[in-house]
Amino acid sequence: MTRYFARLLREDAMSTTLPLATLLELAQNKTQEATRRLGQLQSAQIDAAKKMELLLQYNQEYHEMMQAQMQEGVSSSWLRNFQYFIATLEGAIEQQRALMEQADAKLAQGRTDWQQNKRRQNSFNTLADRARRQEAQVLDKREQRDNDERVTRQFQLRAATSQE
């Protein structure tokens, strides 16, 4: 049997007899799902950080505007309305800060989940590789034994033919 056909048989035998194939496929699917989720969590965390940055920028700009207006003189009602607006903006900043903390925590958990899934997939890959190598060794030994038997038969046939 040639090496090419032996390899084809080996790959076919491994794909049908490898009990880890299903587990490996499930682990790959879970890792892919964890990777997708991690990407979503990273995007959410980045969005939360951008919103926070924008709110802080607005807060800074409105404080500067308030300082400028106060130097020119403002009515008490304008000042009250502006202070109410600033308080509302600062409330939004605190809410966004809480959302950022949640996004950071979810991202950390997503990373942990991804790492666990990746480790599990790598473990199954290692076991599958080991099983493939063992199967390859068995098939290589079988091929070698078949070749040795064929050579022995040919030698015996030549010997028998030369004696006649």
Side-chain angles (χ1 to χ4, degrees):
M1 180 183 312
T2 66
R3 283 244 187 242
Y4 174 75
F5 290 114
R7 183 177 299 128
L8 285 177
L9 285 175
R10 185 180 312 131
E11 289 171 1
D12 186 49
M14 284 187 288
S15 67
T16 58
T17 61
L18 187 62
L20 293 174
T22 303
L23 293 174
L24 182 57
E25 184 178 342
L26 289 172
Q28 288 170 339
N29 290 342
K30 283 186 175 187
T31 301
Q32 288 173 351
E33 177 61 25
T35 301
R36 185 191 61 74
R37 177 142 172 72
L38 184 59
Q40 290 174 338
L41 292 171
Q42 285 174 332
S43 293
Q45 193 268 347
I46 289 169
D47 289 345
K50 285 180 181 179
K51 287 177 184 176
M52 180 65 155
E53 185 178 321
L54 191 59
L55 286 170
L56 290 172
Q57 181 182 348
Y58 287 156
N59 192 32
Q60 179 66 31
E61 289 172 3
Y62 282 110
H63 272 93
E64 290 171 3
M65 186 170 62
M66 184 173 124
Q67 290 295 327
Q69 288 291 328
M70 287 181 66
Q71 287 178 358
E72 295 176 9
V74 294
S75 69
S76 61
S77 64
W78 184 91
L79 183 59
R80 245 190 338 272
N81 288 339
F82 202 84
Q83 286 174 336
Y84 176 77
F85 174 76
I86 292 293
T88 303
L89 183 57
E90 287 174 353
I93 289 171
E94 287 309 310
Q95 287 177 346
Q96 189 61 32
R97 192 177 319 271
L99 290 174
M100 275 186 57
E101 289 173 4
Q102 288 175 356
D104 289 343
K106 287 179 181 179
L107 181 58
Q109 182 60 48
R111 281 188 182 123
T112 300
D113 291 345
W114 178 84
Q115 289 169 343
Q116 289 173 347
N117 282 301
K118 189 65 175 169
R119 247 183 262 123
R120 181 176 290 125
Q121 179 185 350
N122 288 342
S123 296
F124 287 137
N125 276 332
T126 300
L127 291 173
D129 288 344
R130 189 176 302 145
R132 285 184 193 107
R133 282 193 304 275
Q134 289 172 348
E135 182 69 23
Q137 287 174 346
V138 167
L139 289 174
D140 285 345
K141 285 180 183 178
R142 185 179 304 145
E143 184 179 331
Q144 182 63 45
R145 187 186 65 234
D146 291 347
N147 285 338
D148 290 348
E149 288 176 5
R150 194 172 27 256
V151 168
T152 301
R153 271 186 267 135
Q154 286 176 353
F155 179 74
Q156 288 173 349
L157 280 173
R158 285 187 195 145
T161 315
S162 65
Q163 288 178 355
E164 292 177 3

